[in-house]
Amino acid sequence: MKRAKDKFSKQSKAYKKFRPTYPSTLYEELLKWVHTKDVCWDCGTGNGQVASALSPYFSTVFATDISQKQIQNAGNRDNVIFKVERAENTNFQDSQFDLITVAQAIHWFDTAGFNNEVRRVGKNGGVLAVWGYGLLRISPVIDELIAHFYKDIIGPYWDKERKHIDAAYETIDLDFQPLAIKSDFAINVQWDLRSLNGYLNTWSSVQNYMGQNNGENPVDGFMDKLKSSWGDIEQKSINFPIFMRAFRIEK
């Protein structure tokens, strides 16, 4: 089985503070496809934002991650149970879940192992939904600068799994019946330079860069270049395009 990678424990507090949250319309669309709403599993939960968002709709939500530090920074909900477990090998019962979700995390999993675990713990007729978001968009001038930073400055420091994000998860083989779910969602936020700086510092490639360059932070130099193009408006509209794939679990 593929070795598990914990890429976010180090910056778990920043991850909770600066990572964007998903729109309510995404959950509304997803829940239309779920037949019963008893038990849900949010896998690779990170700081628990998806588990918390789904908690009003299910009797119980289980949220798992390999990072104890990420889970320690998650919020508390009465019906959300957090556990430190690998996605591919859990202690859950067979045929337990009505819905299994993975947000911005499945590219880290061992795909074959996760397929087997979903088939084991998902209910017959249950739903598996995986989604993520692509490179942020602000304006043509700033987008070009960010693309250069993303590809040319820290590009060599991305883990190989990043290619699945760039391919909108179409390169991940999920062995279930696809659903024609709406997927053209987006995250829209108003950010100042400080928020953008904080978000960029959560990137695993930035941490990899620092680890291989004596702690030098590539974001610092990039932000200095970005300031001149940011303009006088303190906050700008930031758009993160979302991609989603959903499946019916059939046994």
Side-chain angles (χ1 to χ4, degrees), residues 19-30 49-50 102-105 129-137 162 164-170 181-189 199 238-246:
R19 282 280 171 146
T21 57
Y22 303 105
S24 59
T25 50
L26 181 151
Y27 299 111
E28 291 167 3
E29 170 66 16
L30 175 57
Q49 66 154 291
V50 173
V102 188
Q104 199 79 356
V130 304
W131 68 87
Y133 51 87
L135 197 60
L136 66 163
R137 300 167 182 167
R162 183 69 190 186
H164 296 302
I165 292 283
D166 293 333
Y169 284 166
E170 293 296 333
I181 193 168
K182 178 183 176 182
S183 60
D184 57 340
F185 298 102
I187 299 168
N188 294 291
V189 293
Y199 166 70
I238 315 292
N239 175 280
F240 292 86
I242 293 174
F243 49 88
M244 175 186 279
R245 299 176 68 195

Side-chain angles (χ1 to χ4, degrees), residues 101-121:
T101 57
V102 188
Q104 199 79 356
I106 196 171
H107 53 290
W108 299 114
F109 299 173
D110 180 277
T111 305
F114 183 63
N115 273 327
N116 290 337
E117 192 69 352
V118 168
R119 186 171 290 104
R120 183 183 73 82
V121 303

Side-chain angles (χ1 to χ4, degrees), residues 23-40:
S24 59
T25 50
L26 181 151
Y27 299 111
E28 291 167 3
E29 170 66 16
L30 175 57
L31 290 168
K32 293 176 184 177
W33 298 85
V34 181
H35 294 326
T36 56
K37 300 178 179 67
D38 184 19
V39 188
C40 172

Side-chain angles (χ1 to χ4, degrees), residues 17-201:
K17 183 175 182 179
F18 293 110
R19 282 280 171 146
T21 57
Y22 303 105
S24 59
T25 50
L26 181 151
Y27 299 111
E28 291 167 3
E29 170 66 16
L30 175 57
L31 290 168
K32 293 176 184 177
W33 298 85
V34 181
H35 294 326
T36 56
K37 300 178 179 67
D38 184 19
V39 188
C40 172
W41 173 27
D42 182 44
C43 185
T45 195
N47 59 29
Q49 66 154 291
V50 173
S52 294
L54 289 171
S55 64
Y57 304 99
F58 291 84
S59 298
T60 305
V61 176
F62 288 91
T64 64
D65 202 280
I66 62 169
S67 171
Q68 179 68 53
K69 289 187 177 180
Q70 282 274 52
I71 286 179
Q72 286 173 348
N73 283 291
N76 293 321
R77 294 276 183 142
D78 290 342
N79 64 331
V80 179
I81 300 170
F82 289 96
K83 303 177 71 175
V84 177
E85 293 201 63
R86 280 201 67 162
E88 309 88 349
N89 184 21
T90 70
N91 291 320
F92 295 129
Q93 299 174 6
D94 293 353
S95 301
Q96 186 173 357
F97 296 107
D98 303 291
L99 172 66
I100 299 171
T101 57
V102 188
Q104 199 79 356
I106 196 171
H107 53 290
W108 299 114
F109 299 173
D110 180 277
T111 305
F114 183 63
N115 273 327
N116 290 337
E117 192 69 352
V118 168
R119 186 171 290 104
R120 183 183 73 82
V121 303
K123 290 181 180 178
N124 185 35
V127 172
L128 166 67
V130 304
W131 68 87
Y133 51 87
L135 197 60
L136 66 163
R137 300 167 182 167
I138 303 176
S139 70
V141 172
I142 294 176
D143 292 353
E144 186 174 345
L145 291 173
I146 291 176
H148 173 70
F149 178 71
Y150 178 82
K151 295 177 182 178
D152 301 321
I153 304 301
I154 60 170
Y157 297 90
W158 285 108
D159 291 83
K160 64 181 186 203
E161 289 87 353
R162 183 69 190 186
K163 66 183 181 183
H164 296 302
I165 292 283
D166 293 333
Y169 284 166
E170 293 296 333
T171 48
I172 295 179
D173 184 18
L174 295 167
D175 190 22
F176 304 97
Q177 182 64 37
L179 295 175
I181 193 168
K182 178 183 176 182
S183 60
D184 57 340
F185 298 102
I187 299 168
N188 294 291
V189 293
Q190 293 288 323
W191 276 359
D192 55 18
L193 280 168
R194 178 178 174 276
S195 297
L196 179 59
N197 187 320
Y199 166 70
L200 294 178
N201 272 286

Side-chain angles (χ1 to χ4, degrees), residues 6-12 15 19 67 70 108 202 204:
D6 180 359
K7 306 298 295 188
F8 301 102
S9 285
K10 183 178 179 180
Q11 66 270 34
S12 58
Y15 196 97
R19 282 280 171 146
S67 171
Q70 282 274 52
W108 299 114
T202 69
S204 59

